[in-house]
Amino acid sequence: HNLFGQDSLVSKTFLGGQVQLSVPASFTELDPKTVADRFPDPGSRPAVIMTDKEELCSIKIIEMPHDVADNEVGQYKVFHMKQMKKEPNIQWIGDGVKKINGKNVGFIKVIYTEKNTFAYFFFTSLKGALILFSYTCVDKLWPSMEESIENIVNSLKVE
């Protein structure tokens, strides 16, 4: 099993060149039909899903129906965390807002204890609307991959 730590990152563009993100070289993008099968509701369907071969880890890009300007990213983070706090079985690891390539990027890191899943949500404003990214993996993998995941987040560039 090629642990993610040894997996080099490659820069890719998404959403017609509006988004640039470094992703693990071994990740492959699911074809639109597979994405549609897994997310039948177009309203909650990610624009992009990439996974490793075993599907232990994945990256999703979701265009959200919220109008969020760059200076509102922090407020959206507070709102998003309020929603998440209604869910049981969440272990909070961290959250904040940082500047990445000139944009405000909010982030929330949690472990869903029942599902043994680590999730790193990061989000920013794209043309005045919210774009949400999630990196998820099996929770026991995340400590060894933390640095790599931070490198993915810090590589984000949006138009």
Side-chain angles (χ1 to χ4, degrees), residues 10-23:
V10 291
S11 184
K12 293 197 172 180
T13 56
F14 303 97
L15 305 180
Q18 298 179 91
V19 171
Q20 190 179 334
L21 190 69
S22 294
V23 300

Side-chain angles (χ1 to χ4, degrees), residues 18 63-73 76 103-104 123-132 158-159:
Q18 298 179 91
E63 296 178 276
M64 303 287 281
H66 305 295
D67 291 334
V68 173
D70 187 62
N71 63 353
E72 296 169 331
V73 167
Y76 177 78
K103 291 272 190 181
N104 284 313
F123 39 88
T124 191
S125 173
L126 175 66
K127 294 190 165 40
L130 187 82
I131 184 157
L132 173 71
V158 294
E159 286 291 298

